């Protein structure tokens, strides 16, 4: 009888610790969302301007175009000699189309990127948890999730409308699909091929 009581108390203590860690993980995710929405005030330079303006141009009904015209484009197709038509987008990648779709709902070219990055980062943190859980106990998996979601670099990438958060999400998904089973099934191979195709369309130097 005493052994059963001891076992029950140990189980109760372990359950409380697991619940506490899960609550900490959820709290960290909510903290990340709050920090992202508070600090997400606009673009900060570099390629971010292209990504945001290309999303804004699509919102105007002009299609996927870029407002950047280089001197060489004045003489060469697709603009044609002496033409000032908008040229194709500089970053015609899958994540740009996702941001454009979200922008249809949000109506703000920067915030659509911000919300998309938040969603992708939370998804990435889930894959970090799942991958770690395959090799270790639940406690370590939650710690890995917390370290990832509260990493300053994670927050910085979220605030900037760039494609890196999408790449991280897709790469983590690929790793999880490849290692979750001892032997790959046809479904796993097909899904991995699809993910690799999307990554190659996102950046050719993934080859």
């Amino acid at each position: 009888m005493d052994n059963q009581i001891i076992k029950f108390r140990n189980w109760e203590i372990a359950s409380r610790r697991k619940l506490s860690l899960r609550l900490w993980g959820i709290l960290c995710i909510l903290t990340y969302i709050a920090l992202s929405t508070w600090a997400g005030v606009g673009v900060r330079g570099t390629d971010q301007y292209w990504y945001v303006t290309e999303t804004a141009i699509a919102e105007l009904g002009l299609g996927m175009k870029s407002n950047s015209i280089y001197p060489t484009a004045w003489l060469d197709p697709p603009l044609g000699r002496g033409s000032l038509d908008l040229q194709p987008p500089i970053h015609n990648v899958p994540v740009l189309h996702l941001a454009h779709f979200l922008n249809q709902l949000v109506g703000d070219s920067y915030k659509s990127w911000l919300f998309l990055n938040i969603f992708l980062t939370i998804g990435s943190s889930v894959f970090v948890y799942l991958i770690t859980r395959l090799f270790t106990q639940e406690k370590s998996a939650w710690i890995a999730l917390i370290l990832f979601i509260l990493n300053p670099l994670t927050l910085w990438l979220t605030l900037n409308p760039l494609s890196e958060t999408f790449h991280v999400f897709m790469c983590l998904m690929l790793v999880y699909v490849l290692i979750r089973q001892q032997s790959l099934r046809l479904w796993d191979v097909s899904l991995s091929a699809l993910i690799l195709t999307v990554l190659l369309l996102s950046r050719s130097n993934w080859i």
Side-chain angles (χ1 to χ4, degrees):
M1 185 68 178
D2 291 338
N3 289 336
Q4 291 180 347
I5 293 175
I6 293 173
K7 289 181 180 179
F8 175 77
R9 287 180 177 175
N10 290 337
W11 174 84
E12 185 180 14
I13 293 172
S15 299
R16 287 181 179 178
R17 287 177 178 174
K18 286 183 179 180
L19 179 61
S20 177
L21 192 57
R22 291 170 184 170
L23 291 176
W24 271 109
I26 294 173
L27 179 61
C28 289
I29 292 175
L30 294 176
T31 301
Y32 157 78
I33 295 174
L35 286 173
S36 299
T37 52
W38 172 74
V41 294
V43 295
R44 292 167 172 78
T46 67
D47 290 7
Q48 301 170 43
Y49 287 103
W50 280 322
Y51 280 112
V52 170
T53 54
E54 287 165 4
T55 305
I57 289 172
E59 182 184 358
L60 295 174
L62 300 176
M64 288 296 179
K65 301 288 185 179
S66 174
N67 66 340
S68 299
I69 300 178
Y70 296 103
T72 55
W74 180 264
L75 301 175
D76 301 326
L79 295 179
R81 186 177 300 275
S83 173
L84 288 177
D85 293 337
L86 295 176
Q87 66 178 13
I90 297 172
H91 303 98
N92 191 12
V93 291
V95 68
L96 177 64
H97 295 270
L98 287 177
H100 171 55
F101 173 77
L102 188 58
N103 193 37
Q104 304 283 332
L105 305 175
V106 177
D108 186 298
S109 55
Y110 171 74
K111 288 184 178 179
S112 63
W113 277 95
L114 177 65
F115 296 154
L116 178 61
N117 284 343
I118 291 174
F119 174 79
L120 291 171
T121 301
I122 293 175
S124 296
S125 69
V126 172
F127 280 118
V128 167
Y129 170 87
L130 293 174
I131 293 170
T132 309
R133 189 70 180 89
L134 291 174
F135 299 99
T136 184
Q137 58 185 349
E138 184 179 2
K139 177 182 178 181
S140 299
W142 276 109
I143 292 175
L145 181 149
I146 291 171
L147 291 176
F148 174 83
I149 203 72
L150 293 184
N151 190 316
L153 180 59
T154 300
L155 178 62
W156 185 87
L157 287 174
T158 300
L159 300 178
N160 296 304
L162 298 169
S163 60
E164 275 70 16
T165 52
F166 179 74
H167 298 159
V168 171
F169 175 79
M170 297 301 293
C171 287
L172 286 171
M173 183 191 299
L174 177 62
V175 171
Y176 178 69
V177 170
L178 290 175
I179 68 175
R180 64 175 177 168
Q181 300 287 345
Q182 292 182 349
S183 59
L184 292 176
R185 300 168 297 178
L186 178 60
W187 165 254
D188 297 322
V189 174
S190 301
L191 183 57
S192 299
L194 177 61
I195 296 171
L196 282 172
T197 301
V198 173
L199 284 172
L200 290 175
L201 290 173
S202 300
R203 184 165 290 176
S204 58
N205 60 3
W206 282 109
I207 299 175

